[in-house]
Amino acid sequence: MNIILLGPPGAGKGTQARRLVEERKMVQLSTGDMLREAQGSGTEMGKRVAEVMARGELVTDEIVIGLIEEKLTTVEAAGFIFDGFPRTLGQADALGALLDKHGMTLDAVIELQVNDEVLVGRIVGRAEEARKAGQPVRADDNEESLKVRLMEYYKKTSPLTGYYYAKGALRGVDGLGQIDEVAAEIAGVLDA
Ligand code: AMP
């Protein structure tokens, strides 16, 4: 079973993806994590994307599609969770083509529905928690980048809800509840 977790920054995609990994032995494919890893490794690509990411803008489709294709061709999994990918209509088309090419299907697109004030609060909270715990704070977890990330989401990613609705794949889940409640709702969708 392959699924997409869709939703704005701070909606809880990463948190829910990690639960699905634990509970269902699925594999999480987070392009954000892959890009942060590339930055840490000091590769040419990592350097190129660092500034774009810190500003809160999207990196090019070509880069993230390449990262995803590499995983799909090298990682064996009972199911993939696409977390933070696709983020544009071009990426969504490319994912569809890649899945076809590898004989795989897309089984559900789960949209974590939240409201904007909660998002801002969560992201500011995430940065504060990291700071308190002496952990590195994401370069894009600040108010200015967050505004850009939200705008990128509404301009480029939110059309994907219509795209997947039209394909009959979209399932909305209330992302405002406690982590366990959201997880239970997702489980309900996946087991239906
Ligand atoms: P995330 O960890 O999903 O919040 O992603 C962090 C940042 O990585 C985003 O703000 C973008 O700059 C970049 N990024 C992650 N995934 C994508 C994607 N699918 N397309 C373009 N940029 C992405």
Side-chain angles (χ1 to χ4, degrees), residues 2-25:
N2 304 303
I3 66 168
I4 294 172
L5 291 180
L6 196 62
K13 300 184 297 293
T15 302
Q16 295 299 330
R18 285 188 290 277
R19 285 212 37 160
L20 291 168
V21 169
E22 270 171 37
E23 290 167 8
R24 294 176 187 248
K25 308 274 168 267

Side-chain angles (χ1 to χ4, degrees), residues 25-97:
K25 308 274 168 267
M26 296 172 81
V27 169
Q28 176 188 12
L29 295 183
S30 158
T31 41
D33 285 349
M34 294 175 209
L35 290 164
R36 279 185 288 276
E37 225 170 83
Q39 277 183 43
S41 66
T43 60
E44 197 46 48
M45 190 261 279
K47 281 183 228 158
R48 253 197 297 153
V49 300
E51 280 185 27
V52 176
M53 288 176 72
R55 282 199 299 270
E57 293 165 10
L58 295 187
V59 309
T60 64
D61 285 356
E62 197 193 354
I63 288 177
V64 287
I65 292 165
L67 290 170
I68 289 288
E69 172 149 41
E70 196 206 314
K71 296 286 181 188
L72 289 186
T73 48
T74 56
V75 179
E76 276 287 323
F80 289 110
I81 307 155
F82 297 97
D83 161 14
F85 178 92
R87 264 178 155 95
T88 65
L89 292 168
Q91 291 176 24
D93 279 336
L95 177 62

Side-chain angles (χ1 to χ4, degrees), residues 149-181:
R149 285 160 69 198
L150 264 185
M151 191 57 81
E152 291 282 74
Y153 179 79
Y154 285 113
K155 287 204 306 206
K156 298 175 183 166
T157 308
S158 65
L160 297 188
T161 57
Y163 176 97
Y164 286 118
Y165 176 80
K167 284 186 181 287
L170 190 70
R171 304 286 178 271
V173 160
D174 179 4
L176 286 176
Q178 296 299 308
I179 291 172
D180 285 342
E181 292 165 356

Side-chain angles (χ1 to χ4, degrees), residues 110-124:
I110 295 176
E111 183 197 3
L112 293 174
Q113 296 164 337
V114 286
N115 74 47
D116 294 330
E117 265 165 68
V118 170
L119 292 181
V120 176
R122 281 187 185 176
I123 291 184
V124 172

